[in-house]
Amino acid sequence: MRKVPLTLAISDYDHVRELTSGAIAPEGIELTCLNLTVEEIFYRFVSFREWDVSELSMAKYVALVSQGDASLAAIPVFPSRIFRHSAIYVRRDGGLRQPTDLAGRRVGVPEWAQTAGIYTRGALMHQYGLRLEDVDWYQAGVNQPGRQEKVDLRLPPGVRLTPVRDRTLDQMLLAGELAAVITAHPPTSFKAQHPDVARLFPDVVSVEEAYWRATGIFPIMHVVAIRRDVLAAHPWVAMNLYRAFEEAKRRSMARTLDWSAPRFPVPWVTEHAARSRALFGEDFWPYGVDANRPTLEAFLRFACEQGVAHRPVGVDELFPPEVRSTFRV
């Protein structure tokens, strides 16, 4: 049988390495892989659908689904996930010691619909009781001016979001015009170890571990999406791609746990991986729907509460029946 040619755009993750290198070949698929930055991948795929399969921002995908855009369908493969209490950057002299201190302050975000920001604001709301309307929100590029929202928003009543086109969030933070910035990519000042800029949570790993234990939420940043016209012509590619991604991830996780010869240039990497396994379980980077349902349900609730999703979206709306009906994923 002739293989179906598909093009996949995805970042250079170790846990997709065997797939993108060709060491793992999805059954029935001739896969061409593009390695680009996530910003370029997201922009080109959301704007132009330039390739068949793509890494995609979870927030952008959920926003599209909520607005009735059925041109894409995700498979429950999550190449990027990270806890986001670490995404809150503050001025050291701003008097911010705890999340509730953000009330009445000016806080910057690069995009209201950035996945990292949605999780962070969700934690501020549900874990700490901070109301969105108690903060003055400003939207601008983190380190370059001119950034704009990429999806339509329906902000909740009372929420104030002011776009700034000619300044960066980093500039405004350093000038004292913002008390804090919530962003996936750190401000340049933080990366340069500027003495006036710090994270809100100094011991962020302990805070995020406690959040996991209390909620079961392991934030998902990105998902893998397939164009619907591809699925309409070849419904089986969803499951075959899913299986290939799963096998590539399994091999990567085995490398992190190789005690005899560490494969990553990180001291104690095997100890870190073993600790993750003890905390999260045997599969400490799970794909599939059921294993991630608490996280997915929380994110969908956050996205709707914050006006990124235009209506409540159910978990099963995100993934095609070609995947869900084959076996429990």
Side-chain angles (χ1 to χ4, degrees):
M1 184 180 74
R2 181 178 178 273
K3 292 186 176 182
V4 174
L6 296 179
T7 299
L8 162 70
I10 195 163
S11 302
D12 186 22
Y13 302 105
D14 185 81
H15 47 283
V16 301
R17 191 174 77 186
E18 275 86 359
L19 182 61
T20 56
S21 70
I24 295 173
E27 186 177 357
I29 298 171
E30 181 182 332
L31 196 62
T32 298
C33 296
L34 305 177
N35 174 222
L36 307 168
T37 65
V38 291
E39 292 83 5
E40 183 174 358
I41 290 172
F42 294 172
Y43 174 74
R44 290 172 61 182
F45 193 64
V46 169
S47 300
F48 309 113
R49 308 291 197 269
E50 287 190 48
W51 36 78
D52 306 295
V53 186
S54 187
E55 182 178 3
L56 186 60
S57 155
M58 178 62 83
K60 305 300 187 291
Y61 177 62
V62 169
L64 292 172
V65 171
S66 76
Q67 295 173 39
D69 186 330
S71 64
L72 302 175
I75 57 176
V77 169
F78 311 116
S80 175
R81 54 195 313 167
I82 181 172
F83 289 92
R84 288 304 189 185
H85 291 69
S86 59
I88 309 174
Y89 301 89
V90 301
R91 289 187 56 86
R92 291 184 188 275
D93 61 358
L96 299 177
R97 299 291 180 266
Q98 56 191 353
T100 51
D101 293 337
L102 292 170
R105 303 298 190 96
R106 294 181 173 187
V107 177
V109 295
E111 292 178 31
W112 187 260
Q114 185 182 64
T115 307
I118 294 171
Y119 276 109
T120 307
R121 292 189 300 266
L124 291 174
M125 293 170 64
H126 293 279
Q127 187 179 10
Y128 299 102
L130 183 71
R131 301 189 309 165
L132 297 178
E133 59 268 32
D134 290 340
V135 175
D136 286 316
W137 301 96
Y138 289 79
Q139 181 270 318
V142 182
N143 300 307
Q144 292 183 328
R147 186 164 175 171
Q148 300 183 43
E149 296 287 343
K150 297 180 178 63
V151 296
D152 293 330
L153 303 173
R154 289 187 178 176
L155 294 177
V159 173
R160 303 172 300 281
L161 178 64
T162 303
V164 178
R165 298 287 177 257
D166 60 347
R167 307 286 304 285
T168 70
L169 297 180
D170 193 36
Q171 290 169 338
M172 290 187 282
L173 185 65
L174 287 174
E177 298 167 18
L178 296 176
V181 170
I182 296 175
T183 173
H185 297 287
T188 297
S189 58
F190 179 82
K191 291 191 290 185
Q193 299 182 323
H194 193 288
D196 294 338
V197 179
R199 284 191 168 120
L200 176 62
F201 297 102
D203 187 11
V204 71
V205 174
S206 296
V207 172
E208 292 173 345
E209 282 189 6
Y211 182 70
W212 157 256
R213 294 181 191 279
T215 65
I217 298 170
F218 181 6
I220 292 166
M221 298 295 114
H222 304 166
V223 70
V224 171
I226 307 171
R227 289 202 333 246
R228 281 279 187 181
D229 61 309
V230 173
L231 278 183
H234 310 287
W236 49 269
V237 302
M239 182 51 66
N240 288 13
L241 283 170
Y242 176 85
R243 287 173 173 149
F245 273 108
E246 184 68 63
E247 176 59 17
K249 183 200 67 172
R250 185 194 67 78
R251 296 185 191 184
S252 176
M253 292 174 69
R255 285 193 291 274
T256 67
L257 290 163
D258 185 349
W259 294 88
S260 60
R263 307 295 183 87
F264 301 90
V266 179
W268 303 292
V269 65
T270 49
E271 285 79 3
H272 290 314
R275 187 165 178 262
S276 295
R277 183 172 61 179
L279 181 62
F280 295 96
E282 190 68 25
D283 185 357
F284 48 88
W285 195 279
Y287 295 162
V289 177
D290 287 347
N292 290 285
R293 193 170 288 276
T295 296
L296 293 166
E297 289 177 343
F299 181 75
L300 292 173
R301 181 171 69 253
F302 298 163
C304 190
E305 290 172 342
Q306 297 174 33
V308 175
H310 289 197
R311 63 170 178 81
V313 175
V315 171
D316 290 338
E317 290 184 67
L318 303 179
F319 308 105
E322 296 86 345
V323 172
R324 288 187 284 109
S325 64
T326 304
F327 56 81
R328 292 185 69 201
V329 297

